Amino acid sequence: SALDYAHRHGVLHRDVKPENVLLADGGAIVADFGIALALSAAGGGRRTETGLVVGTPEYMSPEQLSGERALDPASDQYALALVLFELLTGRPPYEAPTVQGMLLRRLSGPVPSARAERAEVPEALDAALRRALALEPAARWPSVAAFAGAVEAAAAPPRRRSRLPLLAVLGVALLAVAIAWPLWVRLQREQAVASLPRIRALAEAGAYDQAFALAEAARRRLAGDPLLDSLWPEVSQRLRVRTTPPGATVTLERFAPDSAAAPGPVRAGTTPLGPLTLARGDWRVVVAAAGFAPVERIASTELLRGNRRYRPDSVLTFDLALRRADPRDSAMVPVPGGRYVLVSPDAPPHDTVRLADYAIDRHEVTNAEFAAFVRAGGYAAAGLRVADRTGLPGPRAWTNGEFPAGAGRLPVADVSWREAAAYCDWRGKALPTLHQWEKAARNGMTAVGDATTMPWGVASPRAPATRRANFSGAAPLPVESFPFGISPFGAYDMAGNVKEWTATPAAGPTGAGYVAAGASFEDPTYLFGQLGVYAPDSASRTLGFRCARLLAPAPGDQGAVPLDFARRTPVYHPVDAATFRTLLEHYRYDPRPLDARVLERVATPDWTREKIRYAGLDGDSVLAYLFLPRHARPPFQTIVYVPSSAAFQGNPAPNEAAFVMGPHVKAGRAVFVVVLKGMIGREFPPGHERPAPQTVGFRDLMVLHATELRLGLDYLATRADVDTARLAYAGVSLGAGSRLPLAAVDPRFRSVVLIGGGIDERLQPTLPEASNINFAPYLRAPKLLLNGRNDEEHPWLSRGLPLWNLLREPKKLILVDGAGHLPPAEARVPAINAWLDETLGRV
């Protein structure tokens, strides 16, 4: 009756559950209308908003769990029926460790029967309950009042007996509830608090599904807990799907490394959908609508989390323009055009290309598909003089004009570029250019740390490519063997299985040919970004192809211009020593009173971090952080750290310093990081635009940053606990690239460490006094360059090696195989500690 009253006044409860039904004075009180009131306060029109998922999952209706439609009173009726089912049987009808599992149980299984659980339940009562638990709201009782009436009518009439024993029992029960309730609430909260370390451990181990389930349960008891709030973004992600036109069905399926643990697909709702909160991880999203081509995507935030623009409250959004089903494109996926620049670490210097909209084959061309070309006389029509083992036209490994038995779904291989191009032409298509192929395969995304970019996201020691692609194997596998190995646009097998021909001509070390990409079944995972140049008549069992076609006529070469792999390492020409001395004049500064003060000290088991402010230029003040080791004695050798560009846009400089340089503080050296103008904590005023590299503004910013850093060295000279005779410069990415002049303008550095360093041609040309090309040769201190061989931000051949060639002795190179932009700690930390021991002396 309480719910009926609320519904008649336009209010939904949204969180009906046993904990919110209290007994008092012989009756029931429905408690905690907090969600309804909060939504009402947010705006009356939002009380039943589509996509808004709040409440307790165990007692949610299917439509509330999925967020796919506006809610109505039938949703509260469903929840009330779940409570009644539990009262009758002793357990809720749908139990699962995750929200997705609960939704799947509701959608896939039959409506539960209380009578099947407990034979004493009358048939009429079970029927009333099953109707209230109907999957579709329209099939339920017209109101909770009607549901209650059906339950009362179905209940067996009570025997006539004295009410006194019943009242006595009820009084004792109420007293027990009054005593036990606070204890139960406290116990639930204590259990939630106790689960937090477990949630953190599971998250750190990458077991996000389990961590998410625990965190969901804990959030119901620990609303606003700061530790839980900090863990929540680490174990969850948010997803929104919108389509044009709307109304498409969305199915979700979570990737599980163990196929036995795979939960299977779940219908999540119809578009517009979300934002949904899901366990962190990879989800296969299938969007389908009658008359339109289906769309497949992988929903994952793993690559985005390495991007400086990612925020904990970010929503992964798919805005999809559905295309009418076209028989010509039934085996292709559309890819939007636009400006595209190659990001493979193996690519030589190249120009940005403007791509038109195009479609690319969903999977590699198979033996069965290629056989149709052979039978149609495609070889003769194209003038191909290639024969199989029996001398008939066809791929070299075939026999009697046919592929091996049972190999129809395997990708065709042992075909030359000419054969591949002729097949695509026969189909009214063409081989994709390298730019088209790479955009479809990775859409310009690059990974960080020890992860490798993959079409679906990343591969790393914690997230291997197993069950995602065919690497390090003995033979190719049938196409579409890996439903979770799709690219950003829904193409299969773009990593592993077979390398693929492209239409891009190139000059290679051994001659001219065409580029092939994607790595093969024989290769390790980290060679996905490797590009090869092969003669047009060469063939291999590891080399196949797929086709593409423009969706409308378009001008331009679409990236089919030749690339020069033979000379992909540019040679830069710095100024001479006399000219360099004149460039240094721009960096002269007058020492000044620093008025330095320590704003705060934060102690940890490994270090004490001081937050410092000192006077800068033009009345500005500079913020800096000093990490002092707890397990060493002063005066400390000190590493002056210049962070990556993430310190300007996403990751504060002290946070990055603690992550990258923290192990060296534990080893006994202090670390000093200056928050340069423009970094988080010292942002430019609103509306400020970053100066272009060729401008005077860029030169002035470089001089400003160098001066702020040198004033920081002046501050260190005032401290008795810092040994200023043993200072090292350490930079990562930006600090080892465009801001490399900061290490060259001051003679106080006795050692230099450059991590992920390189000369980025995109920042050239600059004015001579701001060009890292002119400063690199004049770094006087001993230099260590520590790069990953698979660095995609500063690829070794095109950016890292040119920097190495500019550096002069004494210098040392460590190139970590398989590593990305920031080599992993196990390779990075020992190498840097050994270098500092050698150049500064042991701690």
Side-chain angles (χ1 to χ4, degrees):
S1 61
L3 289 176
D4 180 61
Y5 180 87
H7 292 166
R8 284 187 284 107
H9 288 78
V11 176
L12 302 185
H13 190 285
R14 290 178 173 265
D15 199 21
V16 178
K17 58 184 177 181
E19 292 91 330
N20 287 338
V21 181
L22 309 182
L23 301 179
D25 298 328
I29 297 175
V30 180
D32 196 0
F33 273 84
I35 290 176
L37 293 176
L39 294 177
S40 179
R46 295 185 59 199
R47 288 178 301 183
T48 58
E49 181 180 1
T50 303
L52 192 59
V53 181
V54 290
T56 304
E58 291 90 336
Y59 299 96
M60 282 186 184
S61 64
E63 61 269 24
Q64 188 175 3
L65 270 174
S66 65
E68 69 174 82
R69 67 179 76 182
L71 301 184
D72 58 27
S75 180
D76 279 350
Q77 180 189 147
Y78 188 97
L80 184 62
L82 293 174
V83 174
L84 178 56
F85 187 100
E86 187 170 355
L87 283 168
L88 293 171
T89 66
R91 69 170 187 86
Y94 300 108
E95 295 179 294
T98 66
V99 172
Q100 290 74 32
M102 293 175 193
L103 180 58
L104 179 62
R105 292 283 306 276
R106 283 158 171 71
L107 295 176
S108 61
V111 175
S113 166
R115 184 175 175 81
E117 295 283 330
R118 186 174 179 185
E120 299 94 321
V121 176
E123 289 186 9
L125 179 57
D126 189 46
L129 183 57
R130 285 170 58 82
R131 178 173 176 180
L133 290 173
L135 182 62
E136 293 297 329
R140 299 170 198 156
W141 294 97
S143 67
V144 290
F147 176 34
V151 170
E152 290 175 355
R159 296 192 302 269
R160 297 183 59 85
R161 58 185 178 184
S162 172
R163 293 175 57 86
L164 290 178
L166 176 62
L167 292 175
V169 171
L170 181 59
V172 172
L174 289 173
L175 180 61
V177 168
I179 296 172
W181 178 260
L183 297 177
W184 184 85
V185 171
R186 187 177 70 181
L187 176 62
Q188 293 293 306
R189 182 174 178 83
E190 289 174 352
Q191 290 176 341
V193 171
S195 71
L196 297 182
R198 175 64 174 162
I199 294 170
R200 180 189 293 277
L202 288 169
E204 291 175 348
Y208 300 120
D209 199 20
Q210 300 174 55
F212 179 75
L214 285 177
E216 271 193 314
R219 278 166 69 90
R220 295 197 292 274
R221 309 298 178 193
L222 300 175
D225 181 86
L227 178 55
L228 182 58
D229 287 347
S230 68
L231 289 173
W232 184 248
E234 296 300 312
V235 303
S236 66
Q237 61 190 30
R238 303 174 73 203
L239 172 67
R240 177 188 290 116
V241 184
R242 297 183 293 222
T243 60
T244 305
T249 300
V250 180
T251 302
L252 300 178
E253 184 176 5
R254 177 175 170 77
F255 173 72
D258 179 5
S259 59
V266 173
R267 182 181 181 274
T270 55
T271 58
L273 178 66
L276 305 177
T277 300
L278 308 171
R280 178 177 171 181
D282 291 4
W283 294 77
R284 182 168 178 257
V285 182
V286 179
V287 181
F292 293 89
V295 176
E296 296 174 281
R297 295 289 188 267
I298 292 293
S300 173
T301 57
E302 296 311 303
L303 263 178
L304 300 178
R305 290 171 187 264
N307 188 298
R308 64 180 67 96
R309 295 183 179 86
Y310 183 78
R311 297 288 187 273
D313 59 349
S314 294
V315 179
L316 183 62
T317 300
F318 292 137
D319 281 310
L320 306 172
L322 302 182
R323 297 180 62 85
R324 287 288 178 183
D326 185 338
R328 296 180 302 165
D329 295 336
S330 61
M332 304 186 83
V333 296
V335 182
R339 295 176 63 83
Y340 191 77
V341 60
L342 299 175
V343 294
S344 166
D346 218 25
H350 55 278
D351 295 326
T352 300
V353 169
R354 180 172 291 281
L355 298 175
D357 294 348
Y358 64 101
I360 195 166
D361 284 348
R362 187 183 306 276
H363 54 72
E364 298 146 331
V365 173
T366 65
N367 282 318
E369 291 167 332
F370 198 80
F373 169 67
V374 174
R375 289 193 295 268
Y379 272 62
L384 297 172
R385 298 183 180 279
V386 180
D388 66 14
R389 293 174 178 175
T390 55
L392 295 176
R396 295 152 183 78
W398 289 20
T399 301
N400 199 28
E402 297 179 354
F403 54 82
R409 292 290 292 168
L410 294 182
V412 65
D414 270 318
V415 291
S416 67
W417 183 91
R418 300 186 197 281
E419 292 167 89
Y423 171 87
C424 291
D425 182 67
W426 178 72
R427 286 289 189 189
K429 306 175 185 179
L431 285 172
T433 66
L434 179 59
H435 286 76
Q436 290 175 326
W437 188 95
E438 191 189 91
K439 179 176 175 67
R442 60 194 295 175
N443 198 27
M445 296 297 291
T446 59
V448 296
D450 59 352
T452 300
T453 306
M454 286 288 142
W456 59 86
V458 298
S460 68
R462 201 164 69 175
T466 308
R467 295 190 63 236
R468 309 295 289 265
N470 183 21
F471 282 108
S472 302
L477 294 175
V479 296
E480 298 184 326
S481 292
F482 301 96
F484 285 89
I486 59 178
S487 80
F489 300 101
Y492 284 75
D493 304 311
M494 298 197 81
N497 225 22
V498 291
K499 290 177 284 191
E500 299 181 22
W501 285 112
T502 74
T504 298
T510 59
Y514 290 88
V515 179
S520 77
F521 61 87
E522 291 183 338
D523 295 321
T525 306
Y526 62 79
L527 291 186
F528 165 65
Q530 186 184 59
L531 305 174
V533 179
Y534 301 88
D537 291 317
S538 62
S540 165
R541 76 187 192 107
T542 64
L543 191 52
F545 69 100
R546 72 181 71 213
C547 305
R549 77 173 185 88
L550 295 178
L551 294 175
D557 54 42
Q558 304 300 304
V561 295
L563 296 177
D564 191 349
F565 283 77
R567 295 189 301 274
R568 54 181 151 180
T569 300
V571 176
Y572 296 108
H573 302 283
V575 298
D576 59 32
T579 304
F580 177 71
R581 287 192 292 271
T582 67
L583 300 183
L584 288 178
E585 291 297 310
H586 290 273
Y587 292 87
R588 289 182 57 186
Y589 76 102
D590 296 323
R592 63 196 63 213
L594 294 172
D595 299 326
R597 60 191 187 279
V598 177
L599 304 179
E600 69 176 13
R601 289 184 175 89
V602 178
T604 74
D606 299 306
W607 58 67
T608 298
R609 193 196 74 180
E610 294 185 354
K611 182 179 181 180
I612 303 153
R613 191 174 289 281
Y614 57 85
L617 301 180
D618 301 326
D620 198 2
S621 62
V622 182
L623 194 62
Y625 293 83
L626 180 61
F627 296 78
L628 299 170
R630 297 285 297 273
H631 307 299
R633 283 188 283 181
F636 303 114
Q637 297 181 24
T638 301
I639 304 169
V640 179
Y641 179 68
V642 178
S644 71
S645 58
F648 288 89
Q649 301 183 43
N651 190 21
N655 293 6
E656 183 178 309
F659 174 72
V660 179
M661 291 284 115
H664 306 293
V665 183
K666 294 179 182 181
R669 293 182 171 94
V671 168
F672 182 66
V673 57
V674 177
V675 181
L676 302 173
K677 188 64 176 178
M679 288 183 175
I680 295 173
R682 294 188 65 219
E683 293 88 349
F684 287 113
H688 178 272
E689 293 186 5
R690 183 181 300 180
Q694 65 271 19
T695 64
V696 172
F698 183 84
R699 186 273 314 278
D700 292 345
L701 183 61
M702 185 75 74
V703 172
L704 173 64
H705 286 168
T707 306
E708 291 180 341
L709 188 74
R710 298 177 79 184
L711 290 172
L713 301 187
D714 294 345
Y715 166 74
L716 293 179
T718 68
R719 298 191 55 131
D721 54 355
V722 173
D723 184 353
T724 52
R726 294 194 289 176
L727 296 179
Y729 175 98
V732 167
S733 190
L734 174 135
S738 72
R739 294 306 185 273
L740 184 143
L742 275 61
V745 298
D746 200 292
R748 286 175 280 188
F749 295 117
R750 295 291 180 264
S751 182
V752 173
V753 178
L754 305 175
I755 307 170
I759 304 295
D760 189 340
E761 74 284 351
R762 296 171 297 183
L763 299 179
Q764 304 299 330
T766 62
L767 296 178
E769 57 270 23
S771 173
N772 50 2
I773 294 170
N774 291 332
F775 284 79
Y778 300 103
L779 285 167
R780 285 171 285 184
K783 299 156 286 290
L784 170 66
L785 180 61
L786 183 81
N787 278 32
R789 190 179 293 276
N790 291 83
D791 187 342
E792 294 182 328
E793 175 64 22
H794 283 162
W796 173 244
L797 290 175
S798 59
R799 295 180 187 167
L801 182 55
L803 172 59
W804 173 251
N805 291 338
L806 286 170
L807 299 175
R808 295 174 181 170
E809 297 291 348
K811 63 180 182 178
K812 180 177 182 178
L813 171 66
I814 297 179
L815 195 58
V816 183
D817 285 335
H821 195 40
L822 179 66
E826 57 268 24
R828 182 182 79 245
V829 174
I832 294 175
N833 280 336
W835 174 255
L836 296 177
D837 287 346
E838 178 184 340
T839 54
L840 299 182
R842 297 183 65 85
V843 174

